[in-house]
């Protein structure tokens, strides 16, 4: 097997030798019909327990609504704010009355899930897209519990499925079912296509959880467009095997989105050094991009799960005086935290081979 020049190695090229391929590396996203209801129920029970015990208060304290709405007019009492006096009512009644407002609690939460080839990958307990699906179930149930609307969009290089935002437990269970049963047609990634559909689905300001590994070109323009109108939270999905090139000697790498194949010697020092350098550079590009757009970020790893990262995000964002929040499994992350749970770059192919049998 021929050796590759170090310059051909990309931080996102999923590299494994055929003999080292894990049978669980790539998820086919197929669910037998008889299993659907059981899986929906299983996810509901597991996520409902999390919502009840850990997420409900954090969610409510963070997402407080988009403003205030009028509630009633009542008679003025000592200590009331003079600016709240309703002068028209006061003139008619001959004594002062004040307007009362309550917080507008109703929100729209949109869950966006990347189903491209690179997201259907994992070498730990979960595939990347599976973590996104279960995390989406938690957020859907938390939103439903707070009487918020919740919707879903799943995409690859096309929109694979879209579910408009609605309220209610029945709708949340429908959303979880769709998360489990949507089988993508495309293998590539187009954030622009997803954003185009979102802009049509969301006429008013909404909270958008955008779960992806962000391995795509031209991220900045569509994400900037989305962030101008909506509160966008980037959920970056990562697997440890994408961070370190395995030392397994000669190996074949395949991009699970384009299908392009190269052959390299993973034990070659120059190859490993080039890979590490590109991973570091990719992390810096990602952080700069999200920082420039003012996006919050939750870094979710297949090794650590999403629970701690999501809780850390809720708490960090509630406490922040200003600026974007970046959290991972170990809590709030600044630039110095990049080595503990780094973020990957917009222009990378994909990570340890398309583990499909050849």
């Amino acid at each position: 097997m021929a050796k590759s020049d170090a310059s051909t190695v990309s931080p996102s090229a999923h590299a494994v030798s055929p003999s080292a391929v894990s049978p669980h590396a790539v998820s086919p996203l197929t669910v037998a019909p008889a299993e659907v209801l059981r899986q929906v129920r299983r996810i509901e029970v597991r996520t409902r327990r999390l919502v009840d015990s850990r997420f409900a208060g954090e969610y409510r304290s963070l997402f407080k609504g988009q403003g205030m709405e009028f509630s009633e007019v009542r008679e003025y009492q000592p200590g009331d704010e003079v600016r709240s006096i309703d002068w028209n009512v006061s003139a008619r009644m001959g004594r002062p009355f004040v307007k009362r407002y309550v917080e507008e609690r109703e929100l729209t939460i949109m869950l966006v899930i990347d189903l491209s080839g690179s997201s259907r990958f994992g070498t730990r307990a979960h595939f990347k897209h599976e973590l996104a699906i279960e995390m989406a179930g938690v957020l859907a149930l938390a939103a439903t519990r707070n009487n918020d609307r919740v919707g879903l969009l799943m995409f690859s290089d096309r929109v694979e499925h879209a579910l408009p935002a609605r309220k209610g437990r029945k709708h949340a269970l429908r959303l979880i079912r769709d998360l489990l049963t949507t089988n993508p047609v495309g293998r590539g990634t187009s954030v622009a296509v997803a954003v185009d559909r979102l802009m049509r689905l969301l006429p008013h300001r909404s909270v958008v959880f955008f779960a992806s590994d962000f391995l795509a070109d031209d991220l900045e323009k569509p994400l900037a467009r989305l962030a101008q109108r909506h509160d966008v939270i980037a959920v970056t999905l990562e697997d440890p095997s994408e961070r370190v090139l395995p030392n397994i000697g000669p190996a074949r790498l395949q991009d699970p989105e384009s299908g392009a194949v190269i052959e390299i010697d993973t034990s070659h020092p120059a190859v490993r050094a080039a890979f590490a350098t590109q991973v570091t550079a990719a992390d810096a590009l990602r952080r700069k991009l999200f920082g420039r757009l003012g996006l919050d970020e939750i870094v979710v790893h297949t090794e650590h799960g999403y629970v701690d990262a999501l809780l850390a995000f809720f708490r960090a964002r509630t406490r922040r005086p200003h600026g974007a929040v970046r959290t991972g499994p170990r809590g709030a992350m600044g630039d110095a935290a990049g080595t503990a749970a780094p973020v990957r770059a917009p222009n990378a192919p994909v990570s340890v081979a398309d583990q499909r049998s050849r």
Side-chain angles (χ1 to χ4, degrees):
M1 193 175 291
K3 294 182 181 180
S4 167
D5 183 270
S7 63
T8 65
V9 183
S10 162
S12 63
H14 290 275
V16 283
S17 101
S19 62
V21 171
S22 162
H24 305 294
V26 172
S27 165
L29 269 186
T30 56
V31 182
E35 288 292 313
V36 172
L37 290 179
R38 280 195 292 270
Q39 289 199 32
V40 170
R41 177 63 178 163
R42 195 178 305 127
I43 285 185
E44 184 199 11
V45 170
R46 186 162 62 241
T47 57
R48 185 176 59 196
R49 191 177 302 126
L50 281 170
V51 170
D52 290 343
S53 63
R54 304 184 70 178
F55 287 139
E58 303 284 355
Y59 175 96
R60 184 173 181 85
S61 65
L62 177 58
F63 300 117
K64 297 180 179 180
Q66 297 300 313
M68 306 295 287
E69 61 182 355
F70 175 74
S71 175
E72 63 179 355
V73 174
R74 64 163 174 80
E75 194 165 353
Y76 178 86
Q77 297 175 0
D80 285 341
E81 176 61 53
V82 174
R83 287 176 296 181
S84 66
I85 292 177
D86 187 323
W87 296 106
N88 290 330
V89 174
S90 299
R92 289 198 303 269
M93 301 301 295
R95 57 189 187 277
F97 279 76
V98 295
K99 293 179 180 178
R100 291 190 66 236
Y101 293 86
V102 296
E103 184 181 62
E104 182 186 357
R105 265 294 313 150
E106 187 175 283
L107 288 174
T108 297
I109 306 294
M110 199 69 185
L111 308 171
V112 183
I113 310 296
D114 180 358
L115 294 182
S116 63
S118 61
S119 74
R120 303 198 298 275
F121 170 81
T123 60
R124 297 300 191 267
H126 300 279
F127 302 113
K128 291 191 290 185
H129 80 278
E130 288 176 340
L131 278 181
I133 285 172
E134 188 164 324
M135 183 174 174
V138 166
L139 292 168
L141 290 176
T144 298
R145 181 170 181 151
N146 285 277
N147 202 35
D148 292 334
R149 294 181 297 267
V150 60
L152 172 68
L153 186 138
M154 308 176 85
F155 75 99
S156 56
D157 50 17
R158 67 201 74 192
V159 173
E160 300 286 353
H161 179 69
L163 185 66
R166 295 191 179 91
K167 297 182 181 181
R169 177 177 175 273
K170 184 177 180 180
H171 176 71
L173 294 180
R174 157 79 188 280
L175 186 150
I176 293 173
R177 186 200 70 185
D178 292 353
L179 282 166
L180 290 170
T181 58
T182 298
N183 195 22
V185 176
R187 297 180 64 185
T189 306
S190 177
V191 172
V193 166
V195 168
D196 284 343
R197 178 66 67 87
L198 285 170
M199 298 300 278
R200 295 196 296 270
L201 282 174
L202 302 172
H204 306 294
R205 183 171 176 81
S206 304
V207 178
V208 179
F209 283 88
F210 204 112
S212 174
D213 53 18
F214 297 103
L215 300 178
D217 297 323
D218 302 324
L219 290 176
E220 184 164 1
K221 286 184 179 179
L223 288 178
R225 181 183 172 205
L226 189 64
Q228 283 177 351
R229 182 180 294 180
H230 303 290
D231 181 1
V232 181
I233 299 155
V235 181
T236 302
L237 308 172
E238 292 192 346
D239 184 88
S241 294
E242 296 172 321
R243 308 298 308 164
V244 179
L245 187 67
N247 187 355
I248 53 176
R252 180 180 300 144
L253 292 78
Q254 183 176 29
D255 186 324
E257 297 190 9
S258 70
V261 176
I262 63 171
E263 295 180 351
I264 65 169
D265 184 354
T266 62
S267 63
H268 196 291
V271 172
R272 299 176 64 79
F275 187 89
T277 298
Q278 290 191 40
V279 166
T280 301
D283 293 346
L285 286 174
R286 175 65 47 71
R287 288 195 296 272
K288 287 180 180 178
L289 173 62
F290 289 166
R292 191 160 59 247
L293 299 181
L295 303 187
D296 289 338
E297 182 186 19
I298 308 171
V299 181
V300 174
H301 292 264
T302 56
E303 185 173 18
H304 303 289
Y306 63 88
V307 175
D308 290 340
L310 189 56
L311 281 172
F313 166 74
F314 285 157
R315 292 164 184 168
R317 182 163 169 171
T318 301
R319 292 193 304 265
R320 76 174 181 192
H322 54 77
V325 165
R326 182 171 183 260
T327 63
R330 295 175 179 84
M333 300 164 61
D335 287 342
T339 54
V343 188
R344 299 190 23 226
N347 197 21
V350 268
S351 145
V352 187
D354 178 4
Q355 339 285 1
R356 300 177 191 273
S357 54
R358 299 187 181 132

